Amino acid sequence: MLLVAELGTRLKEARLSKGYSLDDLQEITKIQKRYLIGIEEGNYSIMPGSFYVRAFIKQYADAVGLDAEELLETYKSELPGTPNNQVSQSMTSSPSRRKVSKGPSTKMMEAMPKITVGLFIIVIIVVIWVLMQSKNKAVPDGAVDDTPSEIEYDTKVKPIDTEKDKEHKKAQTNDKQDSADSKDSTQETPDEKQTEEVKQSISAGAIEADGATTSYTLTGTDAFKIRIEVSGPTFIGIRNQQQQELLSDTRVYNAGEVVEFDATSQNYARIRLGNSAQAKVYINDEPLTYAQQIVTQNIVINFNKE
């Protein structure tokens, strides 16, 4: 397509004017060379996903000094993943409404609620009459009800405890008191319970001059373990202070994969995230809060050992 060819040509010309080879651009952007060639040729089918087309074009444009936002806006209609502006005729047409016809109610159906209420009242009257008849038969006229009342039961005098019972209760009370005293004597004092626990601390991120790197400081621990949980396609790499790759498998990871690396022997680690929204970083199982919400960023951890 003409616009896509123009986009690739424009990026390539800017690269050549800067004197960059594809290898140079790969080192600057950390985008694989075959993806850079695909961008210049307009071949987006080799990309790991439609999201990466826009992200890689933006990184490419920034590296060669072009306005990435202007490029993406100019060629947005031809980039993959751009919503279609056409609206289906079936979506704009008003849905037909079906009229629900109600059949005529019969007189019997209209009278049913009244009949139900009337039957309910009759049942209540019959139940009340039966209860009254039962009560009259249980206590004949002139008879005396000898059933002791609740008041009589409540006012009966309880038997007085014997001397043996009193001694038994006293012994039980003494046993309980001795048990409570024993528990009190074995309890630790507040001073014995209090122990100092040194917890790890991760400083608030400081954004560096390049705008894509954030530095953090890890203290209060003698361990430095990195775990990255991936929820979508994203490039992940880990380097030391000499810019040497620490992670043996530096690549684009997919949803569900977990990257784990023990950096305890290092005092510095730089984590490269192709899409930080798709990756959650944990330091010693503690989640790291990103200081800035940008797609591609570098996370630098300075480890001060105890």
Side-chain angles (χ1 to χ4, degrees):
M1 296 183 183
L2 180 58
L3 285 178
V4 174
E6 288 180 0
L7 172 58
T9 301
R10 187 172 175 184
L11 290 170
K12 184 176 180 179
E13 289 175 351
R15 172 175 66 81
L16 294 175
S17 68
K18 289 282 187 179
Y20 294 154
S21 66
L22 287 172
D23 291 328
D24 295 333
L25 197 60
Q26 177 180 254
E27 178 62 24
I28 294 171
T29 63
K30 307 305 178 185
I31 300 172
Q32 294 183 24
K33 185 177 178 179
R34 62 193 184 98
Y35 294 150
L36 296 174
I37 295 173
I39 292 172
E40 292 183 350
E41 296 178 351
N43 182 14
Y44 301 134
S45 61
I46 66 172
M47 300 296 181
S50 60
F51 166 81
Y52 280 91
V53 175
R54 299 176 67 86
F56 286 172
I57 289 175
K58 184 178 186 303
Q59 288 180 256
Y60 192 128
D62 290 341
V64 298
L66 293 179
D67 188 338
E69 297 301 331
E70 183 267 331
L71 283 177
L72 293 174
E73 180 64 24
T74 301
Y75 301 102
K76 67 179 181 179
S77 62
E78 297 300 328
L79 294 177
T82 303
N84 196 339
N85 293 328
Q86 295 182 349
V87 181
S88 174
Q89 183 177 358
S90 60
M91 295 297 291
T92 57
S93 59
S94 300
S96 58
R97 298 181 179 177
R98 293 182 298 174
K99 295 182 179 179
V100 180
S101 59
K102 296 182 179 179
S105 301
T106 62
K107 292 183 178 181
M108 186 63 182
M109 293 178 65
E110 292 177 353
M112 280 300 294
K114 297 180 181 179
I115 295 173
T116 303
V117 173
L119 290 174
F120 183 70
I121 294 174
I122 292 173
V123 170
I124 292 176
I125 294 173
V126 171
V127 171
I128 294 174
W129 181 81
V130 170
L131 291 175
M132 293 181 64
Q133 292 297 320
S134 300
K135 185 176 181 180
N136 291 335
K137 288 181 180 179
V139 183
D141 294 339
V144 178
D145 187 2
D146 294 331
T147 304
S149 64
E150 292 182 2
I151 297 176
E152 290 176 345
Y153 281 115
D154 291 339
T155 55
K156 285 184 178 179
V157 179
K158 296 181 181 180
I160 301 174
D161 293 338
T162 61
E163 290 297 328
K164 187 175 180 180
D165 292 335
K166 290 181 179 180
E167 291 177 358
H168 179 66
K169 289 181 179 179
K170 185 177 181 180
Q172 287 181 333
T173 302
N174 292 335
D175 290 341
K176 290 180 180 179
Q177 185 64 37
D178 293 341
S179 177
D181 293 341
S182 177
K183 288 181 180 179
D184 292 339
S185 62
T186 57
Q187 287 180 349
E188 296 178 352
T189 62
D191 293 337
E192 292 173 343
K193 285 185 177 181
Q194 291 177 354
T195 57
E196 278 192 30
E197 295 183 2
V198 179
K199 295 183 179 179
Q200 77 170 21
S201 173
I202 302 176
S203 68
I207 302 173
E208 296 186 6
D210 62 1
T213 304
T214 308
S215 295
Y216 304 83
T217 301
L218 173 64
T219 58
T221 180
D222 56 1
F224 182 16
K225 295 182 180 180
I226 301 171
R227 187 174 86 253
I228 306 172
E229 296 180 357
V230 181
S231 59
T234 181
F235 173 85
I236 297 176
I238 302 176
R239 291 187 176 187
N240 61 16
Q241 200 162 9
Q242 289 72 39
Q243 298 305 309
Q244 297 171 333
E245 290 291 347
L246 299 176
L247 193 62
S248 60
D249 193 10
T250 299
R251 60 180 174 86
V252 174
Y253 288 79
N254 296 311
E257 292 189 274
V258 178
V259 178
E260 293 183 329
F261 181 77
D262 189 347
T264 302
S265 62
Q266 306 290 327
N267 58 11
Y268 172 100
R270 192 201 74 168
I271 305 168
R272 174 76 172 180
L273 300 177
N275 183 2
S276 59
Q278 305 279 26
K280 184 61 180 176
V281 178
Y282 293 83
I283 305 299
N284 295 331
D285 294 327
E286 181 177 334
L288 179 69
T289 301
Y290 298 150
Q292 54 179 338
Q293 302 300 321
I294 57 176
V295 177
T296 301
Q297 60 175 297
N298 302 317
I299 306 296
V300 172
I301 307 297
N302 296 292
F303 178 33
N304 293 338
K305 295 184 181 180
E306 287 297 311

